[in-house]
Amino acid sequence: MARKAKVEGEARFTPKKAKNAVAVAKVLGPVVIPVVAPFALRAAGSARELYDRYQARKLGVSVDKLGEYTGRGAALHARIAGIAEGCRDLQKSGKASDADQEFAKDALSTLEQLSASVRAAERMPAARRKSVHRAVAGELERLEGQLLHRLGL
């Protein structure tokens, strides 16, 4: 029996092949799906967990707190929270001088303003939002440097 010679330009997926694929899926689907579904769900859950860990590591927060930092300003919000925590630690420190206490108080009020700016920038056009984010990032760099200096690092 001679096979048909392939004609150049012939479609790989024809209506007849599609009909055969649907028929095979109708027969094998009810058998394969119950066996494969639990493995697919477990794989999807593992992939989501890995992605969440990656995002949390990228933001510098724990996976539990990942939901608190969403949107385009998530990284800035995480940095603000980290610096605020450092300022509170500085305030509670027994070695903190009056100047350190005053710095921490001023820094916390500045961080509140920066956080409000980042939240407001979420609804701005891209160019304005990016300029706000750059300005906030610059201010956070300054505050981080001063905080590390005061903590003695």
Side-chain angles (χ1 to χ4, degrees), residues 40-152:
L41 287 173
R42 200 170 308 137
S46 296
R48 179 61 193 203
E49 183 180 341
L50 287 173
Y51 180 72
D52 286 347
R53 284 185 187 169
Y54 165 75
Q55 286 291 86
R57 199 171 337 122
K58 192 169 104 175
L59 292 176
V61 298
S62 67
V63 177
D64 299 336
K65 293 185 178 184
L66 188 60
E68 297 175 20
Y69 308 108
T70 60
R72 297 184 190 272
L76 290 173
H77 281 299
R79 283 181 66 190
I80 289 169
I83 296 170
E85 187 176 329
C87 287
R88 285 188 213 96
D89 289 344
L90 180 64
Q91 282 180 328
K92 292 176 186 174
S93 173
K95 298 178 182 178
S97 66
D98 291 338
D100 292 341
Q101 296 286 341
E102 188 64 29
F103 165 77
K105 181 182 167 191
D106 292 342
L108 286 171
S109 67
T110 301
L111 290 172
E112 286 179 23
Q113 291 173 354
L114 292 176
S115 182
S117 298
V118 172
R119 277 194 305 275
E122 291 291 322
R123 292 169 201 81
M124 291 181 183
R128 288 186 66 199
R129 182 182 60 245
K130 287 178 183 178
S131 67
V132 169
H133 285 187
R134 277 192 300 274
V136 169
E139 185 65 20
L140 289 176
E141 287 289 329
R142 186 185 67 76
L143 284 174
E144 283 173 340
Q146 289 179 352
L147 178 62
L148 289 174
H149 176 72
R150 290 183 184 276
L151 289 172

Side-chain angles (χ1 to χ4, degrees), residues 15-30:
K16 183 177 179 182
K17 289 181 182 179
K19 194 176 196 180
N20 287 342
V22 168
V24 169
K26 283 182 181 178
V27 172
L28 292 180

